[in-house]
């Protein structure tokens, strides 16, 4: 291991330059005009995998290509591990809030700023650099590794599910490793054993056939923006609970042990409040912030649009209003059932004065595993060795839809080993990767192949 660790140590400056190249591609999967950038980014990544000694190919899909790479074929049987990551990123908006260009990686102190630096290009890159260290120093790798990098994670991983089914023989493995999440703090590397799922939908309310003069017609028709505000305001009660009938029926409660451990890991609510910049924290009554975010379901408005948005004013009754909505769901809840009851409830609340349209409805299942397997123990040892700190077990509030398919299609659990910090600003302006976590993540990855083979 000394050879491998030394290699990682001396090559950090080059790794940062390469990561900078990777971060230059505006691989924004939500925006159709960036399809070419996703392809170019995937090609770069394939090429990079080949350059470090992996066998790599670009696999076209109906959407964005999947990059498939593996360690060179060898005889003999060793554990096979699939490492998953995504090269697509969230839109960088609002651009004016960035302190450097989102697609020009910029180093300030111990951070590298760029869209995708933490979610997820930097994290997947840590694994590539670890395997490079083995391959380039001629060190025997105790596992065979398969890398799968997709370009549609931020939009629901639609092409990856059929790809897994179609390739299930070639992708057969003993474990999946994913670094696409957080660790609670710099001195708390973590194995995550639970994620929330999602239900997403877009609701449009249509009123008059066209925008109307609000002086001539206002008062005689329902304003679709007002109707939408009223509708959405009814989704929570005074205690911050979601009002959809039966919504909490299937929610699996936190155990006393989990609550205790989360409290220990989380630190101070006041520090958390300051990090987020809110005047006061808010959420479901009876739960702490960490409990609310990792183990309780939520209903969020992600976008809200109606009427005139330009400079100055415009006296109209808008013809329509629209909300982009997501619910986070937790273990026990099923996306199909939640989607159905949400749509039924929205329809019931919709006044007869507007027409409701619901589109883009989809969902992903929450994830929860017992963190007691031999693989989990190996991961904890690798975290300890890589970070030099005692690792924690935690759950997270974000979603990685594909981990359920790994279980269903490939029959294996996923080791979630996120190396981003909670203040990495993922999905926000000034996204950043902590360079100490990046280096420790590489060491953790290098140790992981030893520990999994033990
Ligand atoms: N990396 C995140 C997921 C994540 C973040 C997991 C923090 C754990 C902690 C991922 O890229 C992501 O943003 N996923 C989407 C999935 C959605 C589009 C279905 C999410 O969680 O919003
Ligand atoms: Zn993301």
């Amino acid at each position: 291991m000394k050879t491998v660790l030394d290699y990682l140590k001396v090559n950090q400056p080059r790794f940062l330059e390469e990561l900078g190249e990777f971060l230059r591609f505006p691989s924004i999967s939500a925006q159709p005009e960036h399809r070419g950038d996703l392809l170019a980014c995937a090609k770069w990544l394939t090429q990079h995998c080949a350059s470090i000694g992996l066998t790599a190919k670009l696999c076209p899909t109906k959407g964005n290509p999947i990059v498939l790479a593996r360690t060179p074929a060898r005889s003999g049987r060793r554990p096979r591990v699939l490492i998953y990551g995504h090269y697509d990123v969230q839109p960088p908006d609002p651009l004016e809030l960035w302190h450097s260009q989102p697609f020009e990686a910029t180093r300030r102190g111990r951070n590298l700023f760029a869209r995708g630096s933490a979610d997820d290009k930097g994290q997947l890159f840590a694994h590539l650099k670890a395997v490079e260290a083995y391959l380039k120093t001629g060190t025997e790798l105790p596992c065979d590794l398969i890398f799968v990098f997709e370009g549609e994670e931020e939009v629901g991983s639609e092409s990856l599910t059929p790809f897994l089914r179609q390739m299930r023989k070639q992708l057969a493995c003993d474990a999946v490793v994913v670094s696409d999440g957080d660790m609670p703090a710099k001195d708390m590397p973590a194995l995550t054993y639970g994620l929330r799922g999602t239900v997403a939908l877009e609701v449009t309310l249509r009123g008059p056939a066209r925008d109307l003069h609000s002086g001539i017609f206002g008062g005689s028709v329902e304003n679709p923006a007002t109707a939408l505000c009223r509708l959405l305001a009814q989704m929570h009660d005074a205690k911050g609970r979601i009002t959809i009938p039966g919504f909490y029926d299937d929610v699996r409660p936190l155990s006393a042990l989990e609550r205790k451990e989360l409290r220990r890991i989380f630190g101070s609510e006041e520090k958390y409040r300051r990090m987020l910049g809110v005047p006061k924290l808010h959420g479901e009554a009876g739960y702490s912030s960490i409990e609310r975010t990792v183990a309780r379901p939520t209903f969020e408005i992600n976008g809200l649009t109606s009427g005139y948005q330009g400079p100055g004013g415009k006296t109209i009754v808008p013809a329509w209003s629209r909300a982009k909505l997501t619910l986070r769901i937790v273990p026990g809840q099923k996306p199909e059932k939640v989607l159905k009851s949400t749509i039924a409830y929205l329809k019931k609340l919709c006044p007869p004065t507007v027409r409701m349209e619901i589109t883009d409805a989809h969902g992903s299942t929450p994830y929860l595993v017992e963190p007691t397997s031999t693989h989990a123990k190996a991961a904890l040892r690798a975290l300890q060795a890589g970070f030099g700190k005692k690792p924690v077990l935690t759950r997270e509030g974000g979603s990685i839809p594909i981990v359920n398919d790994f279980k269903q299609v490939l029959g294996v659990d996923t080791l979630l080993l996120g190396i981003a910090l909670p203040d990495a600003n993922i999905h926000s302006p000034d996204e950043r990767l902590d360079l100490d976590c990046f280096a420790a993540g590489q060491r953790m990855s290098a140790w992981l192949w030893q520990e999994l083979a033990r």
Side-chain angles (χ1 to χ4, degrees):
M1 280 304 281
K2 180 160 185 332
T3 320
V4 168
L5 296 173
D6 284 347
Y7 181 93
L8 292 175
K9 193 166 182 182
V10 300
N11 285 292
Q12 287 307 310
R14 173 171 57 84
F15 294 171
L16 289 188
E17 266 167 44
E18 293 166 352
L19 179 56
E21 278 179 41
F22 189 18
L23 290 165
R24 284 193 79 83
F25 297 93
S27 47
I28 309 164
S29 50
Q31 299 174 345
E33 67 268 30
H34 284 289
R35 259 197 101 126
D37 295 314
L38 280 133
L39 176 62
C41 186
K43 279 186 176 160
W44 183 91
L45 185 55
T46 309
Q47 180 52 46
H48 191 76
C49 289
S51 78
I52 65 175
L54 299 171
T55 316
K57 67 174 181 195
L58 189 80
C59 308
T61 72
K62 271 194 204 146
N64 300 318
I66 291 166
V67 177
L68 182 62
R70 31 178 102 235
T71 45
R74 291 178 286 175
S75 58
R77 163 96 187 121
R78 344 180 154 66
R80 278 180 110 202
V81 186
L82 188 154
I83 300 106
Y84 160 88
H86 64 93
Y87 65 84
D88 64 321
V89 300
Q90 287 274 324
D93 329 39
L95 284 174
E96 65 278 13
L97 294 185
W98 284 79
H99 289 87
S100 50
Q101 293 302 313
F103 296 105
E104 278 170 32
T106 306
R107 189 170 163 180
R108 289 197 288 281
R110 290 302 290 160
N111 284 294
L112 190 69
F113 289 81
R115 174 56 89 232
S117 56
D119 184 12
D120 178 44
K121 288 171 175 171
Q123 297 202 50
L124 74 83
F125 214 61
H127 288 290
L128 284 179
K129 295 298 108 178
V131 72
E132 173 186 322
Y134 278 92
L135 298 176
K136 293 283 177 185
T137 58
T139 309
E140 163 98 14
L141 241 179
C143 297
D144 291 324
L145 307 181
I146 310 171
F147 294 86
V148 175
F149 301 131
E150 69 155 322
E152 295 175 21
E153 195 274 346
E154 300 291 5
V155 288
S157 301
E158 239 166 74
S159 303
L160 186 54
T161 304
F163 181 83
L164 289 186
R165 293 226 168 81
Q166 188 195 320
M167 299 283 286
R168 59 189 292 172
K169 287 234 172 68
Q170 294 94 315
L171 299 179
C173 59
D174 301 296
V176 174
V177 169
V178 176
S179 290
D180 185 24
D182 290 348
M183 49 193 272
K186 216 161 166 168
D187 57 355
M188 274 190 201
L191 173 64
T192 297
Y193 63 94
L195 294 170
R196 291 195 289 187
T198 56
V199 166
L201 62 168
E202 209 171 288
V203 178
T204 306
L205 298 186
R206 295 194 188 277
R210 67 199 75 85
D211 288 358
L212 301 175
H213 189 293
S214 63
I216 302 174
F217 301 105
S220 68
V221 293
E222 171 99 89
N223 183 314
T226 310
L228 187 58
C229 291
R230 201 147 24 85
L231 183 82
L232 295 175
Q234 290 176 73
M235 301 306 292
H236 292 96
D237 68 13
K239 293 205 147 149
R241 282 172 70 88
I242 295 158
T243 52
I244 300 167
F247 186 75
Y248 291 93
D249 288 358
D250 302 324
V251 169
R252 189 185 131 141
L254 278 160
S255 71
L257 204 71
E258 282 182 300
R259 291 190 94 161
K260 194 169 152 221
E261 184 59 6
L262 288 174
R263 201 171 320 129
R264 183 181 76 83
I265 293 170
F266 185 66
S268 117
E269 293 272 339
E270 174 53 20
K271 206 169 139 208
Y272 182 73
R273 183 195 70 75
R274 259 185 279 124
M275 174 180 85
L276 301 182
V278 287
K280 190 174 189 301
L281 292 167
H282 173 80
E284 187 185 356
Y287 295 91
S288 67
S289 294
I290 181 82
E291 291 169 353
R292 287 166 176 169
T293 55
V294 304
R296 299 299 297 172
T298 58
F299 177 98
E300 301 288 354
I301 303 173
N302 306 131
L304 195 54
T305 321
S306 183
Y308 178 66
Q309 312 275 330
K314 187 168 184 239
T315 45
I316 53 161
V317 175
W320 57 269
S321 60
R322 179 172 299 139
K324 292 177 187 285
L325 306 171
T326 50
L327 295 100
R328 293 280 164 178
I329 57 173
V330 298
Q333 293 183 295
K334 296 213 162 45
E336 303 77 22
K337 189 173 166 192
V338 171
L339 182 60
K340 232 175 112 190
S341 57
T342 305
I343 292 177
Y345 187 54
L346 288 168
K347 286 195 168 150
K348 195 182 130 219
L349 294 180
C350 180
T353 47
V354 288
R355 293 177 199 88
M356 178 180 276
E357 280 168 22
I358 294 178
T359 55
D360 280 358
H362 58 87
S364 69
T365 308
Y367 188 67
L368 192 68
V369 282
E370 281 296 330
T372 47
S373 65
T374 51
H375 286 163
K377 287 181 186 136
L380 290 170
R381 291 194 301 272
L383 286 166
Q384 168 76 53
F387 285 83
K389 302 274 186 238
K390 191 169 159 28
V392 297
L393 293 169
T394 192
R395 289 168 62 170
E396 289 186 277
S399 309
I400 307 172
I402 204 66
V403 294
N404 288 290
D405 296 44
F406 289 140
K407 181 76 186 180
Q408 276 196 353
V409 180
L410 305 179
V412 289
D413 285 333
T414 296
L415 294 168
L416 293 160
L417 298 165
I419 58 166
L421 293 172
D423 60 1
N425 292 328
I426 75 172
H427 296 208
S428 301
D430 281 346
E431 179 175 346
R432 59 179 171 177
L433 176 68
D434 182 290
L435 297 181
D436 298 320
C437 291
F438 180 50
Q442 295 160 34
R443 294 193 295 269
M444 177 270 290
S445 177
W447 280 108
L448 188 57
W449 319 131
Q450 301 289 338
E451 295 298 344
L452 283 173
R454 241 166 76 178

